Amino acid sequence: MTDTLFQAYTPLIIWIGLGLLVCRLLPKSFSKILGRGLYWVGVPLELIALSRQGNSGQYQAINTSVLAPVITVGTLIIGLLVTLSVIWIWKLLANQQKSEHDSKIQPLSRVSEGSFLLAAILGNTGFVGLAIAPSLVDANALNLAVIFSITHNVIGPFGLGVWIASYYSHTQQQNNFLTQLRDILIVPPLWAFIFGYFTRSLKLPNAVEIGLQQSIGIVIACAFLLIGIRLAQLQGWKSLKLALIPATLRVLIIPLLVGIFTKFVLKLPASSSLAMVLMSGMPSAFLGLILAEEYNLDRDLIASSILVSTILLLFVLPLWIFVFG
């Protein structure tokens, strides 16, 4: 497991570290350009490549499973409800202290609420999750983890995630159901996944296929570079302190609820339950930062949550193996 974690985190450390180092040498607009480039070009190319891989034998055998998608959707709903409850409690405490002329708890701005939700709900199930799961669960449970990751990456960031980002980027007067629906329907990664999935049987030139597969590594590297740049731009410890809350929800509270449900309600085998806990408790997704860049939310909070939740995972992972393994 140690080797697996090392392999999963090595690219993350290298590219985030590079972003921290070169931040001062780059123009301030670079992070915005990089984020928009990933949103409109990089991530769509990555999803086309990943969805076309679904034609391989390892996925054909699991396409009929419905358990993992149901658990994935349930996890997203649980995460949304729990996080909204925390934000509601935060508002109550902030308003109470305001009336008492106390300023220990500062109210969250609208854009910070949006980033708070994205950081707590969306997990890095692809890069980190699928790198860790194979060494910890059996083949059947790994199939569930793969489907969880695919379902989460389509419905999570580019369904629920876009809805949240769009909602909190507009004022309440500007918001309506059609605005969020429009933003979801025009999101480039969603259409890229659909295109890639339905063209799996279409043979492309070798150069194109190789280019698509190599784009996966390039997009991941650029995303981690963006995180490093944003971390270097943090002003003080405020965002890091606030990030402890969504990070704790992401890697501790939400997977704990999923584990209780899968083990004691669904009565899944230990390995399958562990797989669902692992995938539901991955660190905050770098796609959340890309959405924050595109919709002008709180980038500092997202970047801080990615860092804090990644560190917390190292301490929480043995607990999940002990309890659910």
Side-chain angles (χ1 to χ4, degrees), residues 140-312:
N140 291 331
L142 183 59
N143 288 342
L144 293 176
V146 171
I147 301 177
F148 188 108
S149 178
I150 294 172
T151 307
H152 179 278
N153 286 339
V154 176
I155 297 178
F158 305 116
L160 181 60
V162 170
W163 184 86
I164 292 172
S166 173
Y167 179 83
Y168 283 96
S169 67
H170 298 97
T171 64
Q172 291 185 341
Q173 291 76 17
Q174 294 172 324
N175 267 313
N176 58 66
F177 175 77
L178 292 178
T179 300
Q180 277 72 60
L181 180 61
R182 179 205 63 195
D183 286 347
I184 291 175
L185 291 178
I186 65 174
V187 64
L190 180 61
W191 288 104
F193 176 83
I194 294 172
F195 173 80
Y197 182 83
F198 286 103
T199 60
R200 289 176 300 163
S201 59
L202 179 63
K203 181 66 176 178
L204 298 177
N206 287 336
V208 177
E209 289 283 8
I210 293 173
L212 282 174
Q213 298 309 316
Q214 290 181 341
S215 71
I216 298 174
I218 295 173
V219 171
I220 290 173
C222 289
F224 290 151
L225 182 69
L226 177 62
I227 294 170
I229 294 172
R230 280 300 177 188
L231 287 174
Q233 295 172 344
L234 292 179
Q235 300 295 324
W237 293 94
K238 182 180 178 181
S239 293
L240 283 172
K241 289 167 61 178
L242 179 57
L244 278 171
I245 303 174
T248 301
L249 293 175
R250 172 96 289 277
V251 300
L252 183 62
I253 304 302
I254 294 173
L256 177 61
L257 295 175
V258 171
I260 292 172
F261 181 76
T262 55
K263 185 170 184 177
F264 298 105
V265 178
L266 296 182
K267 299 187 183 300
L268 294 183
S271 186
S272 297
S273 180
L274 176 61
M276 297 296 92
V277 170
L278 292 176
M279 300 307 284
S280 62
M282 285 298 103
S284 300
F286 64 75
L287 290 173
L289 180 57
I290 295 174
L291 289 174
E293 293 284 353
E294 179 65 20
Y295 287 91
N296 294 313
L297 300 180
D298 189 339
R299 289 96 159 174
D300 289 354
L301 178 55
I302 289 280
S304 300
S305 297
I306 293 171
L307 176 64
V308 174
S309 61
T310 300
I311 295 172
L312 283 178

